[in-house]
Amino acid sequence: MIIVLKSGISDAEVNDVCRRITEMGYGPHVVRGEFKTIVAAVGEERGRPDLRLLEALETVESVMPVQQPFKLASREVRSESSEVRINGVTVGGRDVVVMAGPCSVESEAQVLEVADAVKASGARVLRGGAYKPRTSPYAFQGLKEQGLRYLAEARKRTGLPVVTEVLETESVEVVAEYSDILQIGARNIQNFTLLRRVGEIGKPILLKRGMATTIQEFLLSAEYVLSAGNPNVILCERGIRTFETATRFTLDLNAVPVLKKLCHLPVVVDPSHGTGHWDLVAPMAKGAVACGADGLIIEVHPRPEEALSDGPQSLKPAKFAQLMRELRPVAEAVGRGL
Ligand code: PEP
Ligand code: MN
């Protein structure tokens, strides 16, 4: 249920409503908008007092049932779009934020070379995997903590914040120590223990849609993080499995306007995994910006033919630079900066 409070009520009055909600057995989450304050009461309604009783209070304007099961992510709770801030970079604001870097961190020299190149072209965040979720246990599994140290080195040198994947609950702390955004990969999007754990930390979380995850399931995964107390969630469409085999996945660009309609969280698109082919990355990146994405996450490698993972979908730095030049007018055409 959503409890809409009357305009101009004091903090003490908000706290009083929250206390009553807690006493009724629900978890109160306060959302302060520019004009209105709203309290989302989270919890199973069966067997608990009816929250509509709160309409008897003078401080409460109305109590509304939430149709969507993803209460905290929903636009019904917060009509303004959320912005996620990372060390001076805002995702979900006017500017489209491009995150770029190698699929895997392979060496210090490799990650520094890519970081310098993508920064020079206008990327705002450095990506790179240190813990890699590989289909085969025999494939390169990542440099792990050493990889995190190389990423931190690249951040120190370039000033770019770092996004990197956390694979399991045991490594949340160490990944959070070295990085600025924690990525939950497509294969972990329904690892509810991990989602709850990253909900307990304050750092921004990039949630990648699973390859067989519906929009509703995706938003319920976001809800795990939000309801555990972390409001800094960025959603990422990275392609889903369909009958089509011409591309690695089917990049579902429908998801961008659908997610923007249903929820207030920023949405970014990964055209690298979404297509699996470097030459399809630029057209789909432009398409993503045109249909309203708040950002892109793109794989870049100086020598894709030698990459330890995802070489075929990685752009060389010069191609990435060209894409960035071509993206600017697309962003401007839809009222965004880059
Ligand atoms: C990645 O970003 O390198 C990655 C493994 O992504 P996904 O979880 O979307 O497959
Ligand atoms: Mn990859």
Side-chain angles (χ1 to χ4, degrees), residues 103 127 132-133 165 183 185-187 208 238 273 299:
C103 176
R127 67 146 286 150
K132 295 304 301 176
E165 178 160 356
Q183 173 176 325
R187 292 155 190 83
K208 297 189 87 175
R238 49 77 71 206
H273 293 88
E299 290 185 339

Side-chain angles (χ1 to χ4, degrees), residues 103 127 132-133 135 165 183-189 206-213 215 218 234-242 247-256 259 267-277 284 288 293 295-299 310 313:
C103 176
R127 67 146 286 150
K132 295 304 301 176
T135 302
E165 178 160 356
Q183 173 176 325
I184 301 291
R187 292 155 190 83
N188 258 327
I189 191 64
L206 179 83
L207 279 188
K208 297 189 87 175
R209 182 182 181 184
M211 54 193 86
T213 306
I215 298 278
F218 189 23
I234 302 165
L235 302 174
C236 178
E237 163 59 38
R238 49 77 71 206
I240 53 174
R241 274 258 155 86
T242 66
T247 47
R248 185 178 178 193
F249 294 99
T250 296
L251 186 63
D252 179 17
L253 285 187
N254 287 349
V256 177
L259 288 168
V267 179
V268 308
V269 169
D270 175 349
S272 306
H273 293 88
T275 61
H277 299 275
M284 297 314 286
L296 296 166
I297 180 162
I298 295 177
E299 290 185 339
D310 289 349
Q313 68 194 35

Side-chain angles (χ1 to χ4, degrees), residues 1-2 26 31 40-45 51 65-78 219-220 223 226 262 264:
M1 289 280 189
I2 301 299
Y26 302 89
V31 182
V42 179
E44 178 56 65
E45 286 166 25
L51 285 159
V66 178
Q67 301 304 329
Q68 307 288 12
F70 39 88
K71 302 182 187 198
L72 298 174
S74 170
R75 280 242 186 237
E76 291 172 355
V77 172
R78 185 188 160 95
L219 288 170
L220 284 168
E223 197 72 12
L226 298 170
L262 291 174
H264 54 81

Side-chain angles (χ1 to χ4, degrees), residues 163-182:
V163 56
T164 194
E165 178 160 356
V166 57
L167 272 185
E168 64 248 317
T169 45
E170 295 73 33
S171 39
V172 167
E173 225 163 281
V174 67
V175 175
E177 185 188 323
Y178 286 103
S179 64
D180 304 284
I181 307 172
L182 278 74

